[in-house]
Amino acid sequence: MRSDLMKKGLEKAPHRSLFKAMGFTDEEIRRPMVGIANSANEIIPGHIHLDKIVEAVKAGVRMAGGTPIEFCTIGVCDGIAMNHEGMKYSLASRELIADSVEVMATAHPFDALVLVPNCDKIVPGMLMAAMRLNLPSLVISGGPMLAGKFEEREVDLIGVFEGVGRVARGEWTAAQLKDLEECACPGCGSCAGMFTANSMNCLSEALGLALPGNGTIPAVMAARIRLAKMAGTKIMELWKKNIRARDIATLNAFKNAMAVDMALGCSTNTVLHLPAIAHEAKIDLNLDLFNTMSNKTPHLCFLSPAGPHHLQDLDAAGGVPAVIAELAKIGEIDKTVMTATGKNVGQNLKGVKVKDHRVIRSIHDPYHKEGGLAILRGNLAPDGAVVKQSAVAPEMMVNEGTAIVFESEEETMEAILKGKVKPGHIVVVRYEGPKGGPGMREMLSPTSAIVGMGLDKDVALITDGRFSGGSRGAAIGHVSPEAAEGGLIALVKNGDRISINIPKKKLILLVSEEEIKKRKKNWKPPKPKIKFGYAARYAQMVTSAGTGAVFKDFF
């Protein structure tokens, strides 16, 4: 056992003494030791209940003959960090979380790991650590929040963000927004739509590193506690069979996850996180592979923010296994890859079928023939940009407009709410990339304000920052190279014409090469926005969004 490094032999008597100081018995010390990374805190609705999930995992580990040992990680709530300096630290927290799990599981050599995240960067951060450590590992999330009820319809957090724009243009009163605020988020769990947290929890399942149901069973259901107990027992099975994280997360497993990504219409942030997780597994996920998978994978689910359904609906319709089963009919799933169940995908799919074709469409009747995401290239984004094409209005799929340029999210938000952004504008928000932000802030407030102002079918937004999974409309992010690195987005001027052609995967600044050369001569790198602490160090180490915004490799 790996844990023998800290507990076995004459020279480990002091170590055992320290375990006994915490109440461990000789029998508990003798057993395999399972590290449980718990990201519970009192600032994230999706994490407020993780203590109960962890207790269930511990019960499962003990039932299967192991000794569970809990440790903690940090976690940022993207919704609360949104639209102020706090969002500069959200993506950056992913690397800290990965590092902290690595530190804890190396300083204390556990035999296996159970990772208990739920929201946004915490899920990919823990998965990155699992790839790096390559121990028997699995993920059990806290589960999605239920949708709220407002004026006889289902709502979620995104409606509140969009409500700000509705109040600004006079469509709603402040009292109506207050009523929505009270009921949009009815309890614990990751926010109810196919936003980043739920996207990554579903893709953890599709990747094979989480048990079936991980992405969709609501947080408040007893089935979530039962799943957590099963996770505790399954990790012991993986340990006994020596099935490690990279045995599961192979290239074909990542392709399975990408196919599910496209079918579900997941967050654009998956284009950051899947390559970052693969990077830790020594697998190269080129951005063009996303287009390859999108071109041959139908979009089967129309979930919030793009559509009317929520995660509870997807769960009732059969969840991620039903989506995988549907995609397997057209050969888009490798059934031979191993999963956290101890069985391969094909074995997991026995008896699985779609229970509600209104929520999970048949492969013969998809919402769109192509998947939910698209990678755009052109002179404005030679290293790639990403758009959630399933959430773009048909009339905005091909668009030429006039640039209106802003140097920060705050400037953009103020201009939108004051009515300075007009139909036909293409809003350009720059110096918000991984290095320039720093931290690549999400632009949920501006995109939601555009929708709330009724401009989502008339205005596009382009940024070297990124978007929440809750963003919808013609929102194009991750423009690479970013402005802070001298990318062409840094040279755009008010009044320039920009061409967007999503079907052809093109993003082009319609300015002559001669003019671009003149502008380049006058461009100077900006001074760092943050000059101390973690964010300053992050800006020095982070790479492009086109490579997953991972840290530079120094060796």
Side-chain angles (χ1 to χ4, degrees), residues 1-4 7 31-35 109-113 135-136 239:
M1 288 188 288
R2 184 171 181 264
S3 60
D4 286 348
K7 67 184 187 183
R31 292 179 175 190
M33 291 185 167
V34 178
F110 300 118
D111 297 297
L113 286 174
L135 297 172
W239 172 76

Side-chain angles (χ1 to χ4, degrees), residues 49-61 63 116 140-144 188 211-214 217-233:
H49 64 304
L50 292 188
D51 57 333
K52 296 179 176 62
I53 301 295
V54 167
E55 285 305 315
V57 173
K58 289 178 180 178
V61 171
M63 284 190 291
V116 188
I140 171 65
S141 74
C188 67
L211 299 178
N214 179 72
I217 296 173
V220 296
M221 298 297 189
R224 174 62 55 177
I225 299 298
R226 294 196 298 271
L227 189 71
K229 289 179 181 177
M230 287 175 58
T233 59

Side-chain angles (χ1 to χ4, degrees), residues 283 330 334 394 408 458 483 522:
I283 294 171
I330 53 172
D334 183 342
S408 72
D458 302 292
N522 296 323

Side-chain angles (χ1 to χ4, degrees), residues 131 207 209 245-255 258 273-287 289-290 547 550 553:
M131 295 299 103
L207 188 58
L209 285 167
R246 292 188 207 171
D247 297 328
I248 292 172
T250 62
L251 177 58
N252 283 348
F254 276 99
K255 288 181 178 179
M258 293 168 79
H273 299 322
L274 284 179
I277 297 163
H279 176 77
E280 297 290 351
K282 313 301 182 187
I283 294 171
D284 179 27
L285 281 193
N286 187 281
L287 282 188
L289 186 56
F290 282 88
T547 56
V550 298
D553 288 323

Side-chain angles (χ1 to χ4, degrees), residues 205 216 313-323 352-356 360:
E205 192 177 327
T216 60
D313 304 313
L314 179 59
D315 187 62
V320 173
V323 174
V352 172
K353 61 181 180 180
V354 175
K355 299 175 183 177
D356 187 346
I360 303 172

